[in-house]
Amino acid sequence: MTYLFVPDFREIKMSGIAASKRLIYFCGSMRAGRQDVDLYGTLVEKLSRYGEVLTPFVADKNLTNMASEYEGGDVAIHDRCVEKLRQCHVVVAEVTVASQGVGYEIGRAVAMGKNVLCLYRPQEGQLLSAMIRGMDNGAGLRVFDYKPEEVDSIFDEFLNS
């Protein structure tokens, strides 16, 4: 059974979305730094087992923080991403690299009533934003500290519950 959360976070049961039909929006840092692009590739590959990843370009090694442009510029990037957020059933965000864009995508997704999973790899001397950590409600809005080798069980728990 899959659940959607409306903005006031009441659970609404959806008739089961088959994994092959589930649309997943993956977010990771683009302009704030691309140091985790290899990890993004691994996460996108693993997420594709649960459905269609609408944003595989986040894991594209050819996109750099200075060369992540899209025809139409910033407005086109924004509008394309917001449309994909509207289409998706669930959002998965890798939030270790602090990114204004990822925070914005998460906020929009929450406002749209989407289920959101945030993944954070604890770093010495760094804390995850309280605005991200504090949104975890134990249900459709989750934040996990993780190591890459733990992601399979996290995805199973979040995407199959």
Side-chain angles (χ1 to χ4, degrees):
M1 184 63 57
T2 304
Y3 297 89
L4 273 183
F5 287 82
V6 292
D8 65 355
F9 303 111
R10 291 176 292 146
E11 291 185 33
I12 297 180
K13 293 182 181 180
M14 293 176 52
S15 55
I17 297 173
S20 63
K21 302 287 187 192
R22 181 183 291 138
L23 301 177
I24 302 167
Y25 187 101
F26 175 75
C27 10
S29 174
M30 298 295 285
R31 292 183 178 173
R34 299 291 287 157
Q35 59 267 42
D36 283 345
V37 70
D38 290 329
L39 175 61
Y40 298 164
T42 300
L43 297 175
V44 165
E45 180 182 324
K46 289 176 182 287
L47 285 169
S48 68
R49 298 178 197 151
Y50 296 91
E52 178 185 349
V53 179
L54 298 175
T55 54
F57 56 84
V58 175
D60 185 341
K61 292 180 185 182
N62 295 316
L63 296 178
T64 66
N65 61 328
M66 297 304 289
S68 61
E69 296 310 306
Y70 181 73
E71 187 175 326
D74 292 347
V75 171
I77 291 169
H78 172 273
D79 293 350
R80 174 182 68 159
C81 290
V82 169
E83 181 55 33
K84 289 184 183 301
L85 277 169
R86 284 188 184 108
Q87 294 170 1
C88 78
H89 298 113
V90 64
V91 173
V92 176
E94 211 304 338
V95 296
T96 304
V97 176
S99 166
Q100 294 171 345
V102 172
Y104 177 83
E105 290 167 314
I106 292 167
R108 290 293 296 255
V110 170
M112 291 177 190
K114 306 292 182 175
N115 287 349
V116 179
L117 169 63
C118 294
L119 302 169
Y120 178 72
R121 294 183 330 279
Q123 312 280 315
E124 188 173 327
Q126 294 181 354
L127 292 174
L128 179 60
S129 165
M131 295 302 292
I132 301 298
R133 174 112 31 226
M135 76 172 199
D136 191 317
N137 66 4
L141 304 175
R142 297 303 317 268
V143 179
F144 283 92
D145 288 353
Y146 82 108
K147 295 177 183 153
E149 60 270 16
E150 300 168 337
V151 78
D152 290 319
S153 63
I154 294 169
F155 286 167
D156 281 342
E157 178 182 332
F158 187 78
L159 295 168
N160 289 329
S161 61

